[in-house]
Amino acid sequence: MNLRTKYNIPNDAVLTIAGTVGVGKSTMTQALADALNFRTSYEKVDTNPYLDKFYADFERWSFHLQVYFLAERFKEQKRIFEYGGGFIQDRSIYEDTGIFAKMHFEKGTMSKVDYETYTSLFDAMVMTPYFPHPDLLIYLEGSFEDIVDRIQERGRPMEQQTPLDYWREMHKRYEDWINNFTACPILRLDINDYDILRDPTSVEPIVEKISKFLHHNEKLKRRHS
Ligand SMILES: Nc1ncnc2c1ncn2[C@@H]1O[C@H](COP(=O)(O)OP(=O)(O)O)[C@@H](O)[C@H]1O
Ligand SMILES: Nc1ncnc2c1ncn2[C@H]1C[C@H](O)[C@@H](COP(=O)(O)O)O1
């Protein structure tokens, strides 16, 4: 019996994985998709035409990059909807505005007019009753030191050349962001509590937690309807 059946995870569920750069979202996306036999929706890094340029010059490229990410994630959202769910999504659309665009605006690497144009586009596309929110956002968290080690280990040159302060600022912002996040239910996982790379059996307790969470929320929804 596969884990989806064993833990009674609805086959149309949409689970999104959130967390700072390098925390382990893509690795978790693959592990959960394999365990549940779900499709994946990845953030494509290698084919992103702006990412390298952005890391070399934040001011010049931050608006272009945000618009690109928004378009890509929106297209993915449409694909997920067309398949009728059953997806694990590598990074949520909410992080683009709540973390990245906001941080670049507040740090002065995105102009006010660009930020306002971007947020009004984002709000019109996403913050509407017509936009399907995920059933669960799985938030991965860990210490700044562990996460920087992972960024180093993965070795993307553009990220290695970025000052540590950038990652420190992002790490802090993520903590504030998740503590105020309300768009959908959240399951928080500490990266020290599992090791899906070296121990494939560690995915099962995560699926069990997801199941409990989804069914608990389902009950709450029924009670309030
Ligand atoms: N559970 C884990 N234990 C140890 N290393 C991990 C784990 N998950 C991911 N990593 C490593 O951390 C790095 C970043 O992981 P990745 O999944 O690409 O992160 P993200 O998608 O959040 O940027 C990769 O080198 C990956 O192999
Ligand atoms: N919205 C974004 N703005 C700026 N940079 C972003 C955004 N979304 C992702 N990124 C960057 C961060 C990483 O360098 C790569 C991939 O992210 P990862 O967390 O490793 O999946 O894209």
Side-chain angles (χ1 to χ4, degrees):
M1 188 193 282
N2 72 31
L3 292 184
R4 194 187 68 70
T5 316
K6 181 170 174 186
Y7 291 101
N8 197 18
I9 308 277
N11 59 10
D12 61 353
V14 176
L15 312 176
T16 189
I17 317 290
T20 195
V21 175
V23 71
K25 297 179 298 299
S26 307
T27 311
M28 179 63 79
T29 299
Q30 194 58 59
L32 285 177
D34 291 345
L36 301 176
N37 200 16
F38 271 17
R39 292 191 166 84
T40 53
S41 168
Y42 281 110
E43 195 175 50
K44 294 181 205 88
V45 169
D46 298 344
T47 52
N48 185 316
Y50 295 109
L51 204 53
D52 273 320
K53 291 179 178 153
F54 163 78
Y55 275 106
D57 185 347
F58 286 152
E59 263 178 272
R60 172 80 180 81
W61 295 105
S62 59
F63 180 70
H64 301 71
L65 180 69
Q66 292 314 324
V67 172
Y68 179 83
F69 268 122
L70 181 56
E72 289 301 300
R73 292 203 218 281
F74 206 79
K75 281 190 274 180
E76 280 298 287
Q77 205 66 39
K78 191 165 157 265
R79 186 168 76 90
I80 293 171
F81 182 74
E82 283 166 356
Y83 271 110
F87 267 83
I88 313 289
Q89 189 178 29
D90 177 11
R91 175 161 277 131
S92 71
I93 201 164
Y94 313 109
E95 292 156 81
D96 291 327
T97 174
I99 301 287
F100 292 95
K102 191 161 185 266
M103 174 167 100
H104 282 277
F105 166 58
E106 289 175 1
K107 290 283 166 189
T109 45
M110 185 188 272
S111 72
K112 187 166 187 286
V113 66
D114 282 352
Y115 182 63
E116 285 172 357
T117 303
Y118 169 76
T119 48
S120 85
L121 181 62
F122 182 93
D123 289 350
M125 289 169 77
V126 179
M127 303 320 269
T128 79
Y130 314 107
F131 184 85
H133 296 283
D135 296 293
L136 186 62
L137 180 141
I138 301 171
Y139 180 70
L140 306 185
E141 57 195 339
S143 72
F144 175 66
E145 290 71 23
D146 286 348
I147 288 164
V148 166
D149 285 350
R150 288 188 179 189
I151 293 175
Q152 306 291 355
E153 179 195 321
R154 181 172 57 192
R156 286 182 190 146
M158 59 192 169
E159 293 172 355
Q160 315 258 298
Q161 286 145 18
T162 299
L164 272 186
D165 276 351
Y166 183 76
W167 307 120
R168 197 173 286 114
E169 174 75 27
M170 192 179 292
H171 188 261
K172 186 183 143 316
R173 281 174 181 263
Y174 259 100
E175 281 175 15
D176 298 341
W177 171 78
I178 197 65
N179 288 333
N180 294 296
F181 182 82
T182 55
C184 69
I186 309 166
L187 169 63
R188 295 170 83 127
L189 294 180
D190 188 311
I191 59 172
N192 288 315
D193 292 345
Y194 62 87
D195 188 351
I196 46 177
L197 273 187
R198 285 163 206 87
D199 173 15
T201 63
S202 71
V203 77
E204 182 160 352
I206 298 175
V207 173
E208 193 176 358
K209 276 189 191 162
I210 294 171
S211 167
K212 284 197 181 131
F213 221 88
L214 288 176
H215 294 120
H216 176 72
N217 281 316
E218 203 41 53
K219 263 192 217 143
L220 284 182
K221 254 197 247 159
R222 274 204 301 271
R223 208 169 291 159
H224 294 296
S225 66

